Every structure is written in C-alpha cells, then in structure tokens.
Amino acid sequence: MSGIDEGLLKVFLEEVDELTTDLEEALMELDDNREDTDLINRIFRSLHTIKGSSGMYGFDNLSKFLHNIETIYDKIRNAELKVNKNLIDITLKAKDFVRELVSNNDQYDQGKFNNIIQSFKSFAGEEDTPKSEKPKNIDSAVKENKESPKNIFRIRFKPSQNIFFTGTNPISLIDELKHLGESYIFAYNKDLPSPEYFDPEKCYIYWDILLLTDKKINDIKDVFIFVEDESDIKIDLIEDESEIPDFSDADTRKLGEILVEKGDITYDDLNSIFSYKKKIGEELIEKGLVSGSNIKSALLEQELVKKQKEIKKETLTTSSVRVSSDKLDKLVDLVGELVIAQTRLEQLANNLGNSKLNNITEEIERLSLDLRQTTLGIRMVQIGSSFGKFRRIVRDLSSEMGKKVEFITIGEETELDKTVIEKLNNPLVHILRNSIDHGIEPPEDRISKGKSEKGKVILKAEHSGGNVIITISDDGKGINVDKVIEKAEKLNLISTKNISKDEALYLIFHPGLSTAEKITNVSGRGVGMDVVRQDISSLRGEVKISSEQGKGTSIKIILPLTLAIIEGLIFKIKDNSFIIPLSFINECIEYRRVEYLNKYKGNFVDIRGKLIPFVVFRDYFKIQGERPDIEQIIIVSLGDEIIGLAVDEIIGQQQIVIKNLGSIFKNIRAISGAAIQGDGTMALIVDISGLISEVKSLNMLDETVS
C-alpha cells in the first residue's frame, strides 16, 4: 500500500466500512426474506463495488477473495442457486474477514481464507435447486427505476352505470391518466349481472389504477372533473415523493391492511381468516371475499411502494458528502464559541441602549441561530444506521444459545447526535445480550408456558421533547425480584428485605450483582448493567427499568438530542442562575402565595382546572433566604409526568453552550452541566429527568390535595 496516497487510502477505508455495514444489514434482511431479488442485487452490488475498489488500491488478496463470493451471488441472481441459512452464515463470516483484510493491509490467515472459500464452493455444490420466482406479473411490472422518486396514487374509479348516456367513454379517462405517468390498471366485473339481466348500454366494470407520477392530486382530479358527481371516485396518495421515508420494516403495510384501505374487505373479514395456515391472499380468494385481481393489485402496490423507498434511499445516499468527524467536531466547537460571543454582545448592547447596535445584535443573533441549527443538523444521524449491527448480534447469539428470537426495530428514522450514537453502542449491546441470555427462554420452555416458541426482542427509538427515548423490551421470563434481593443481601448491598419492587430492580445496576446461575462468555459476572448505567450517565442520560415475572422486561434509556448547544430558559434563585432546556417547558405562570394559602394544603397550582404539584427550587438546593411573595412557576414535563418548579425570577430565553462539570459533581442528579452567560458568570443546567426522580425519592412532591 506504500505507493498509494494516504488521503485516497483513507477514502477507500471509509467506503469499505460503509459498504460492509450495508452488506450486513442486507444479509440480515435477506435472512427473513430469502427470495427478495432486490436484496440479492444489493448484496451483489456491495461485493462488486468493494472488489473493484480493492483492485484499484492494491488490495489484491481482497479482490481475489471477493471474486469467488461474487460468482456465487451472480448464480443466485440468475436463479441457479437458492438462498438458505448456510449461505447467510458464511457470507457474514466473509464480511468479517473482509474487514480483517482491510485492517491488516491485505495480509491474512491463509487457513481462514481457504476455509471460507471452500464453504462457498460446498454451498454451490449442494444447492442446485432452482430459485423460486415471484409471480411474473409482479416482477415485470416493477421495473428497475433509477430516476428521481415519484408520487404513487391509488385510484378507484367506479363510474355510474348510466355513464354511456352522457356520451362519456370511461376508457378515454383511463387513457388520459396514462399520460400523467406510469400506470398499472386492474379491471373488476363483480357487478356484472347474469345474462338475462345484462343491459349492453350500461357500464358494469370498475377499475383500480396505480399511478406513478410527479403530478399532484389536483392534476388527477381534473381528469374526472366532468364525471365526479355521477361516479364513485377515490384518490389516495400512498407514497409522497417529497417525504423522507421510514426505512424500517414496521412502515411496510401488510397485504390485509391494503385490502381494508381499498374497501375490498373489512377488518372483520380479515380477523376471520387469521386462524388459517394458508397465505392470507389464498384464503381470502377461497372464501370468496376478494378476486385474484384484488390480490394482484395489492401485491403490486406493496412492490411499488417498496421500490420507491429504495429509490429515495439511494437518492439520499448519493447526494451526501463524506466529511471527517473531526472537522464536524471542530465546527461545533467554533459555533459554540460564536454563541457565547453573541450572548456577550447582546448583553453589552442592552446595557448601552444604542438602537443601531441593537439592530446589528439582533441580526447576528438570527444568523448564529441559523448556523447553530444547520451545524447541529449536520451532526444528527438516523439511529437506524446502527441497528444493522444489533441484528447481527441478536442472530448470532440466539443461534449460539439455541434460542429462537424475532428482533423487531421501530423508529429507525429517529435522529440523534452522532457522538451520542457512537457512545450508545456498548450499552445497547449489553442490554440485548442480557435480554437473550437472561430473558428469552429456550423454545421448549416457552411452549410449556403457553408462549410462542420464538421470543421477541424489540428495539424502539422515539422523540420526546428535547430527548430521545430508546426502549429495549422482551417477552421473556422477566426479572425474579426475590432472587435479586437474596443476591443483594449476600453481597451486603441492603440491610433489609423490606424494599419496594422498583428499588429491587435497580439493584441489578450495582457492580458484581448478577442473578445468572452460571458464568458464560456472554454474561454472569455482574459487570454489564453497571457499565450501561455509567455509559448512559456520561451522556447525561437516564436508565429506567420495569419487569414482570413471566411476561418480560423493558429497559428505557432517556437521552438528550445533542451534547453541544441548546435553547434554554434562565432563572434565578437569589443570586444563583440556573437554566432549564426549553424543550421540557410547557409554560410559565405567576404564583402569589397569599392566594393559595387557604385553598390547598400542599404545593399545588391550578392550571386551567387541573392541579399540578410543584417543588420549591430554593428548598431543594437549600438556598438560604426568604421566598418572595410573588414567585414564578415553570411547568415542565417529561413523558407523562408534569410538575412545577417555583423560582424567584425568570430572566429570559437564550442559546447556551453546554459545558461538562468536573467529576466532583457527578453525583448531583438534578444538574447535568453548566453554561457561560453573557456577563461571564456561570449558570447550572437543570436535569429535569434527574430532578423529578430526586424530588420523588425525597418525598418533596405532594401527590394528594387536602
């Protein structure tokens, strides 16, 4: 590699990293959909691209290695070989070996090289069954489309039976739709009467049209403008070209859902066939609920939507620019310094009272805000980019332990700061390992308990205010609280068994505590969950756990969207300044204590007829001095929890650059960081999640009104 420019070599290494990550994701998906030609083509393209680039950069051994594998996948593309679990296994090993070759500058273990190649050759010799094909009418309809994304409209055109009397030919209207884009037409004759009642001057046919077009819905309505009053016309936009797609499997509509949406069947019809073992389409046709054309139309709709999502994904990928993460980090640091300087300038302008300077300050504030949002937006990455590696971990671990596990991901499109995602990898790996090792039971145990032999592990990401909540749940055996308490007693972690279930569950985060009966290479040493808590705390996050024995466990991780710059509300207690992230705040109200003294016993405030408990911030931090007669109450929320914070004075809203506190402050749960104000003084940033947990544990929050 000595003759290659270091900059070019770095680009190659980054490209291989991206392509192997995509290869692993595609293999995981192919394991669930082994006849998906799009996935097979995607895998082939990744292998072919890495092979071509490796030859250019002098990685000859890598090129030779991939040539053998590429040949196998070319045969699969041509339906000469069939995908099975063995192929997925050895291709995943090959992917790991590719990364090993690249990291070792094309040097490799000859024995490992030969074993993997021989595995592929054995596969090719064993598998000579032609690959089953999709229905030709579906494959031929969904063409390779490398153009820009299109809108997909579903149109149900049911003309009046007397349409011919108006001089209108419905076929002409359908032909007019064809000129708007690529169309697929299905005709239905279920309303056709028996011959003795047939009237040749009436129209008994109606149509479903799937239209791929860059036109808008009004352009389609214009086609039917003269027949809309007498005809039954329904136009649905089922895929929007401008919408950022959700690439998760959860976003793909099922066949039954499409048929219900179209009005071909009802939910009762759908539920009536769930107990049958045949495919849903076959069963619906057999029961006479739909025709073959209804099924073909729905299947084609699935394929078209899927294809458009892939085109969008390719468009988003090819339009991106690769930038070093170091440069992004430097840019964020500079923007942070700019925000601090802008805050100082704003305060100076206010003190001087110069209108011209104020105008310039406002313009700089607007520009710095736009720059901040753009810069932080660049750092935001879809969390789904890391889900692929977790699918591999679940697959390998469940196979190794002889368990059957269905891994479900939800919310892959949820965006989170790149730095947070990178540091989130280890905690999620630990939790997933525990879910499979400790949670999911072996198939025979699950069947004996009346469960499905295949367990479920769900990884879900969602936004909540200024946070992202990541939930890992399973339907396994749950946590045995009595066993946890017993183990904690042996380790002298508790002095009494008289503790609540929630307190007992949180003991599993203590180092050295494990309920595993034996130590394995996966878990059992009581280290994993302690690492999870430490890693999440370093991200200014929080871990919550709930479990029900026999039903499963759910672990919720609450994280800030970004670790850099946020919008905050500054308030004061005496001479001390504090900041609450704006995303947690619902509203602020004035509180006159004298008006509430005789109303309620306890700290409550009436918000439009609803009593909200509040905590006096001064009391929590034990700040000396008398409370003012008129206080400000800041109403904050986290998920379903809403509380108020009584403070002395609200200063105003401001962009703040988050600065980490030293290790000496790490045990203060209600404070997550600090910020430099315009006058150079420091303000502490309130951790709402930690504060709510703390005031509850200290019984500082009134729960009942008396």
Side-chain angles (χ1 to χ4, degrees):
M1 309 312 118
S2 57
I4 299 175
D5 178 78
E6 286 190 11
L8 292 175
L9 184 59
K10 186 178 179 182
V11 170
F12 168 68
L13 296 177
E14 289 174 353
E15 182 184 34
V16 170
D17 184 62
E18 288 182 7
L19 288 169
T20 50
T21 299
D22 184 68
L23 175 63
E24 184 170 271
E25 290 177 3
L27 286 166
M28 293 293 95
E29 292 177 35
L30 186 64
D31 199 21
D32 296 327
N33 305 282
R34 294 181 183 174
E35 295 184 358
D36 192 320
T37 54
D38 292 325
L39 287 173
I40 293 167
N41 286 326
R42 178 176 155 192
I43 292 167
F44 180 83
R45 283 195 299 269
S46 294
L47 293 169
H48 183 74
T49 304
I50 299 172
K51 187 192 84 168
S53 299
S54 61
M56 290 170 54
Y57 289 97
F59 285 75
D60 296 330
N61 292 326
L62 176 57
S63 179
K64 179 183 174 183
F65 176 72
L66 289 174
H67 176 74
N68 290 278
I69 305 170
E70 185 187 45
T71 302
I72 298 296
Y73 274 89
D74 191 38
K75 290 182 177 181
I76 293 169
R77 289 202 309 164
N78 295 324
E80 297 174 28
L81 296 172
K82 186 178 179 182
V83 176
N84 64 10
K85 183 179 181 298
N86 180 37
L87 175 69
I88 304 292
D89 289 339
I90 57 178
T91 310
L92 286 169
K93 289 179 183 177
K95 169 257 167 187
D96 294 338
F97 189 65
V98 166
R99 288 197 165 181
E100 187 179 316
L101 272 168
V102 171
S103 62
N104 293 330
N105 287 328
D106 211 34
Q107 303 302 311
Y108 65 95
D109 181 332
Q110 184 68 50
K112 188 181 291 187
F113 182 102
N114 293 338
N115 286 339
I116 295 175
I117 295 300
Q118 186 55 48
S119 296
F120 278 105
K121 288 181 178 178
S122 299
F123 165 79
E126 293 168 1
E127 295 292 329
D128 52 6
T129 307
K131 184 174 178 181
S132 61
E133 299 179 3
K134 290 183 180 179
K136 290 185 178 179
N137 59 312
I138 300 296
D139 269 346
S140 60
V142 185
K143 301 172 183 176
E144 282 291 326
N145 189 344
K146 298 302 179 186
E147 300 174 358
S148 58
K150 297 281 194 301
N151 293 317
I152 302 180
F153 290 96
R154 180 206 297 138
I155 305 161
R156 169 66 60 88
F157 174 36
K158 194 170 186 178
S160 164
Q161 290 190 357
N162 296 319
I163 191 171
F164 296 137
F165 293 106
T166 65
T168 303
N169 184 351
I171 300 299
S172 300
L173 300 178
I174 293 174
D175 287 338
E176 196 172 337
L177 285 175
K178 290 181 180 179
H179 293 296
L180 297 181
E182 188 178 347
S183 60
Y184 305 97
I185 301 161
F186 297 85
Y188 303 98
N189 60 1
K190 64 182 294 185
D191 295 336
L192 198 65
S194 57
E196 61 268 27
Y197 297 107
F198 181 80
D199 184 346
E201 294 184 343
K202 288 189 175 182
C203 179
Y204 299 104
I205 308 297
Y206 66 93
W207 293 266
D208 276 346
I209 302 104
L210 290 169
L211 180 66
L212 277 74
T213 179
D214 53 9
K215 304 295 184 183
K216 304 302 180 185
I217 193 167
N218 286 334
D219 297 311
I220 299 172
K221 288 181 177 179
D222 288 345
V223 173
F224 300 105
I225 192 169
F226 296 114
V227 298
E228 60 183 350
D229 293 335
E230 300 84 21
S231 304
D232 182 5
I233 300 168
K234 187 180 180 185
I235 304 171
D236 294 315
L237 176 61
I238 58 175
E239 183 67 17
D240 190 341
E241 64 177 346
S242 61
E243 192 176 82
I244 300 297
D246 176 359
F247 298 118
S248 67
D249 293 338
D251 191 52
T252 303
R253 282 173 297 182
K254 302 293 189 291
L255 179 64
E257 293 173 353
I258 295 174
L259 292 170
V260 172
E261 279 183 19
K262 291 170 62 181
D264 293 333
I265 59 173
T266 65
Y267 276 113
D268 289 338
D269 294 332
L270 195 59
N271 293 331
S272 70
I273 55 97
F274 273 163
S275 60
Y276 293 87
K277 294 183 179 180
K278 293 182 180 179
K279 290 182 178 179
I280 183 173
E282 294 176 359
E283 192 59 45
L284 287 169
I285 293 173
E286 189 173 303
K287 294 189 72 173
L289 295 172
V290 295
S291 67
S293 293
N294 292 121
I295 298 298
K296 289 176 184 177
S297 173
L299 287 172
L300 178 58
E301 182 176 316
Q302 275 186 327
E303 292 290 327
L304 290 174
V305 171
K306 183 179 178 182
K307 178 61 69 178
Q308 285 299 304
K309 289 186 186 299
E310 289 176 0
I311 292 171
K312 284 183 183 180
K313 192 172 184 179
E314 288 182 16
T315 303
L316 289 170
T317 303
T318 54
S319 62
S320 63
V321 177
R322 188 180 287 114
V323 179
S324 167
S325 59
D326 293 338
K327 291 181 180 179
L328 281 180
D329 293 340
K330 179 65 175 176
L331 179 61
V332 170
D333 290 341
L334 291 173
V335 171
E337 295 302 320
L338 176 64
V339 168
I340 293 173
Q342 174 261 316
T343 304
R344 293 174 60 191
L345 178 61
E346 181 183 0
Q347 186 157 336
L348 177 63
N350 290 334
N351 292 339
L352 293 176
N354 187 312
S355 60
K356 290 184 178 179
L357 183 58
N358 278 330
N359 290 336
I360 295 172
T361 302
E362 289 174 4
E363 181 67 13
I364 291 175
E365 181 182 6
R366 183 185 65 79
L367 292 171
S368 67
L369 177 61
D370 288 346
L371 181 60
R372 174 182 75 88
Q373 291 175 337
T374 302
T375 303
L376 294 181
I378 293 172
R379 285 175 61 95
M380 301 300 275
V381 179
Q382 287 192 353
I383 196 170
S385 61
S386 62
F387 280 7
K389 68 182 75 171
F390 300 136
R391 289 192 185 95
R392 172 78 183 276
I393 289 169
V394 171
R395 182 182 187 275
D396 290 351
L397 197 56
S398 58
S399 178
E400 177 186 333
M401 303 188 72
K403 297 180 179 180
K404 295 184 178 181
V405 180
E406 180 183 3
F407 184 50
I408 300 170
T409 58
I410 302 172
E412 292 179 309
E413 76 287 355
T414 304
E415 291 189 332
L416 193 57
D417 190 285
K418 175 186 69 69
T419 305
V420 177
I421 288 180
E422 289 171 354
K423 293 181 179 180
L424 195 57
N425 180 64
N426 284 340
L428 290 181
V429 168
H430 281 300
I431 295 172
L432 287 171
R433 283 177 172 171
N434 278 350
S435 291
I436 297 169
D437 190 17
H438 295 307
I440 302 297
E441 311 96 327
E444 57 274 13
D445 290 353
R446 291 182 63 85
I447 292 172
S448 67
K449 295 175 182 177
K451 296 182 178 181
S452 165
E453 66 173 355
K454 182 181 283 189
K456 283 185 180 179
V457 175
I458 301 173
L459 176 57
K460 179 182 178 182
E462 59 186 329
H463 282 121
S464 176
N467 286 344
V468 167
I469 299 177
I470 299 171
T471 308
I472 304 96
S473 57
D474 65 67
D475 65 346
K477 59 187 176 185
I479 297 174
N480 188 328
V481 175
D482 294 334
K483 199 171 183 180
V484 171
I485 294 174
E486 182 184 334
K487 193 66 179 285
E489 275 191 309
K490 289 181 180 178
L491 295 172
N492 295 321
L493 300 179
I494 54 175
S495 56
T496 175
K497 287 186 177 182
N498 188 25
I499 60 175
S500 68
K501 179 183 176 182
D502 287 342
E503 289 174 323
L505 287 174
Y506 280 91
L507 287 171
I508 69 170
F509 292 105
H510 197 283
L513 193 148
S514 174
T515 57
E517 295 177 359
K518 61 179 180 178
I519 295 174
T520 68
N521 61 345
V522 176
S523 59
R525 299 184 184 274
V527 177
M529 296 308 291
D530 175 46
V531 171
V532 168
R533 184 173 60 176
Q534 290 181 23
D535 287 349
I536 298 303
S537 296
S538 71
L539 295 171
R540 304 202 327 272
E542 183 182 8
V543 187
K544 294 186 176 182
I545 184 169
S546 60
S547 183
E548 189 170 347
Q549 197 165 352
K551 292 189 177 180
T553 301
S554 177
I555 296 177
K556 187 176 289 187
I557 298 172
I558 304 170
L559 294 166
L561 273 175
T562 178
L563 302 177
I565 306 169
I566 61 171
E567 289 281 339
L569 184 73
I570 302 175
F571 66 90
K572 278 196 169 186
I573 303 292
K574 201 174 180 180
D575 297 324
N576 304 286
S577 295
F578 298 88
I579 297 171
I580 295 177
L582 211 59
S583 55
F584 290 103
I585 299 174
N586 292 358
E587 59 185 301
C588 301
I589 63 168
E590 188 176 88
Y591 178 76
R592 298 174 182 267
R593 276 191 294 155
V594 67
E595 295 179 3
Y596 281 85
L597 284 177
N598 299 321
K599 277 190 176 182
Y600 313 113
K601 185 179 179 182
N603 290 330
F604 290 93
V605 62
D606 189 338
I607 306 291
R608 292 177 292 279
K610 183 177 181 180
L611 292 180
I612 304 295
F614 68 86
V615 62
V616 180
F617 209 78
R618 175 189 292 271
D619 292 348
Y620 175 75
F621 278 103
K622 297 181 174 60
I623 298 173
Q624 299 298 317
E626 291 292 323
R627 291 170 59 186
D629 292 332
I630 301 175
E631 294 175 297
Q632 303 297 320
I633 294 188
I634 305 170
I635 307 298
V636 298
S637 62
L638 178 67
D640 297 329
E641 296 182 281
I642 301 176
I643 69 166
L645 303 177
V647 304
D648 291 2
E649 179 186 5
I650 292 176
I651 305 301
Q653 178 181 336
Q654 185 178 301
Q655 295 181 62
I656 59 169
V657 181
I658 300 171
K659 302 291 184 182
N660 290 326
L661 295 170
S663 58
I664 193 172
F665 298 103
K666 68 180 182 180
N667 292 323
I668 304 178
R669 291 190 65 189
I671 299 297
S672 60
I676 300 172
Q677 299 186 91
D679 59 1
T681 59
M682 190 73 72
L684 296 175
I685 301 170
V686 180
D687 176 4
I688 296 300
S689 176
L691 178 67
I692 290 175
S693 298
E694 278 286 281
V695 296
K696 280 187 170 182
S697 65
L698 295 172
N699 295 318
M700 295 183 67
L701 205 61
D702 294 317
E703 296 183 357
T704 57
V705 183
S706 57

